[in-house]
Amino acid sequence: MVTRWAVRAARAFDGERFLPGGATVLVEGDRVVGVEAAAFRPADDVPVTEVPGTLLPGLVDCHVHLVSSGAFPGTPGSLEWAGTAAAAAVDEVITGSLRAQVVAGVTSVRDLGDVAYRVLDHRGREGEGLPRVVASGPPITIPLGHCWFLGGDVDPDEAGALHRAVVERAGRGVDLVKVMASGGFLTPGSDQLGAQFDVVPLRRMAEAAHAAGLRVVAHAHSVIGAEVALDAGVDGLEHFTCMAEGATDPPVALLDRVAAAGVTVCPTLGNDASRFPPVSAMPPHVLEMLERIGITDRDEHLARAAANSVKLRDHGIRVVSGLDAGAMPAKPHGHLWRSIAELVRGGWPVDEALATATSVAAEDCGVDAGRLAAGRLADLLVVDGDVAADVTALGRPTSVWVGGVAVDLPQS
């Protein structure tokens, strides 16, 4: 017999808006079966948990790397390490990453940086109280291109290579395809300001993915990389930092194109400043790139990136939140709340910023969650405080449920 229970809070956010007076959410099995006013009294045989703070849907992180714990590049637990590590060791890191996410209130993740398709084996662990997983498999890149060490490198000049890469992923059962349209900071020698693929082969790859029923998201740090990805017909742009010589601001014409194409952008905002390595420890290729694009002050650059995110909103671009968790020490798993806080810092209304990591994110990932609504998966989060007044309250979870399964949170 399936038990019905309820959780009641004086403050609630339903995935789109804050509910005046809070809410009583009724759960049966793994689904929400009703959302009522906080004053609602269910039948006497329905246990009700009264919670302080704010009740909202579990968060959805749209850009994670589960095979990496966020260790310093090249050390155990880093993305580079994952490329040569034993499968059992990678699996252990994946489980740890999922655990770090869920205890922070992240109940769904979209993995965009796998190795040997290990993450695919970790889908369906919601019964263990771990996040539901959407996975791309290894990202497609060029030889020695960004994240080549994850095993997804193909020669775009080899006839049929990109098509075969898509067919392989579809055969493995991935949920979407990730491609590296530009270089990246974590890969010395890759071209962060250029494009890794020409338009024609990239378009053929996107068409093959779409024919297989798979969406395509493109890593794009550079303006030209984003333009090529748009010309190729991708469905999403990751990072969208719009880097060019001496500039990191999105051109208006590019914003217009993204909006007109209906492409989703995940700006991967948010960092734990305490985990940034000192400048003296940064790799020379990173320092060189920062100089080329004109970044002289880290904090000023991060504030500018947050402010630029409002331009996406003002252009009507669909925005989802993802931290790039696991990619580096400053982006640990379970810190998605920092991405939302950066949007608010940049000028987004709190409810719209929250939607990028709940209702909008869930829809973009194809996950039937992200809302407090009857029929949706009972992925729920309670945090300590009034999120409407203090968005950093998201970093203080007190209760989490994945599909109605309560998560055992660490004692503070």
Side-chain angles (χ1 to χ4, degrees):
M1 180 178 177
V2 178
T3 302
R4 180 173 289 201
W5 55 276
V7 56
R8 177 183 295 128
R11 301 183 182 91
F13 174 77
D14 71 357
E16 289 186 332
R17 64 189 182 94
F18 288 97
L19 303 177
T24 299
V25 176
L26 295 147
V27 177
E28 189 172 303
D30 66 350
R31 298 278 167 173
V32 173
V33 294
V35 179
E36 307 289 348
F40 175 78
R41 293 296 182 267
D44 292 342
D45 62 345
V46 176
V48 179
T49 301
E50 301 264 2
V51 294
T54 305
L55 170 65
L56 62 157
L59 304 180
V60 179
D61 192 330
C62 291
H63 192 128
V64 308
H65 298 281
L66 295 174
V67 300
S68 170
S69 63
F72 194 79
T75 65
S78 66
L79 279 174
E80 295 90 337
W81 165 87
T84 58
V90 173
D91 286 341
E92 184 176 348
V93 170
I94 292 170
T95 295
S97 299
L98 288 170
R99 178 65 182 166
Q101 291 281 3
V102 80
V103 298
V106 178
T107 54
S108 295
V109 296
R110 180 160 63 189
D111 185 86
L112 299 179
D114 196 0
V115 59
Y117 300 94
R118 295 307 312 155
V119 170
L120 272 63
D121 289 344
H122 294 264
R123 293 180 295 189
R125 299 182 69 183
E126 298 91 284
E128 303 173 46
L130 293 176
R132 58 194 78 253
V133 176
V134 175
S136 71
I140 297 174
T141 189
I142 61 174
L144 298 182
H146 184 44
C147 286
W148 62 269
F149 38 78
L150 295 178
D153 53 315
V154 298
D155 184 351
D157 295 326
E158 181 185 338
L162 283 168
H163 185 271
R164 289 193 297 274
V166 171
V167 170
E168 176 185 328
R169 282 157 179 75
R172 292 275 192 159
V174 301
D175 301 299
L176 75 162
V177 172
K178 164 83 175 293
V179 64
M180 301 300 197
S182 76
F185 283 97
L186 295 179
T187 309
S190 68
D191 187 0
Q192 295 98 323
L193 300 188
Q196 293 201 148
F197 294 90
D198 292 331
V199 172
V200 172
L202 194 58
R203 182 183 297 123
R204 288 174 179 162
M205 188 217 74
E207 290 171 347
H210 292 156
L214 299 171
R215 297 176 75 238
V216 179
V217 297
H219 161 108
H221 275 310
S222 65
V223 169
I224 188 172
E227 290 174 338
V228 168
L230 285 171
D231 287 339
V234 303
D235 305 287
L237 293 169
E238 303 296 311
H239 310 300
F240 196 63
T241 34
C242 297
M243 288 164 37
E245 291 285 352
T248 56
D249 294 325
V252 173
L254 180 57
L255 292 171
D256 289 340
R257 284 196 63 197
V258 175
V263 167
T264 302
V265 170
C266 181
T268 60
L269 298 175
N271 298 275
D272 182 348
S274 70
R275 299 182 183 224
F276 268 115
V279 173
S280 60
M282 288 188 177
H285 76 277
V286 172
L287 294 175
E288 178 187 358
M289 182 54 59
L290 294 178
E291 182 178 352
R292 285 182 65 188
I293 60 182
I295 296 177
T296 57
D297 184 281
R298 183 195 69 198
D299 293 338
E300 179 184 345
H301 168 69
L302 295 177
R304 189 170 184 174
N308 278 339
S309 72
V310 178
K311 297 177 183 178
L312 301 173
R313 174 182 179 269
D314 292 345
H315 274 73
I317 293 170
R318 180 186 181 89
V319 175
V320 296
S321 281
L323 185 72
D324 202 6
M328 62 187 73
K331 290 181 175 287
H333 288 286
H335 285 232
L336 178 63
W337 67 270
R338 295 182 185 276
S339 297
I340 304 164
E342 284 298 284
L343 293 177
V344 174
R345 175 192 184 193
W348 284 63
V350 176
D351 55 353
E352 293 185 30
L354 278 171
T356 69
T358 52
S359 59
V360 180
E363 183 179 356
D364 200 66
C365 291
V367 175
D368 193 18
R371 297 178 187 270
L372 303 183
R376 295 291 180 133
L377 288 163
D379 291 0
L380 308 174
L381 166 64
V382 180
V383 299
D384 176 22
D386 180 0
V387 176
D390 175 18
V391 72
T392 66
L394 290 170
R396 300 190 296 273
T398 58
S399 298
V400 181
W401 293 267
V402 180
V405 176
V407 175
D408 184 19
L409 301 186
Q411 298 298 313
S412 57

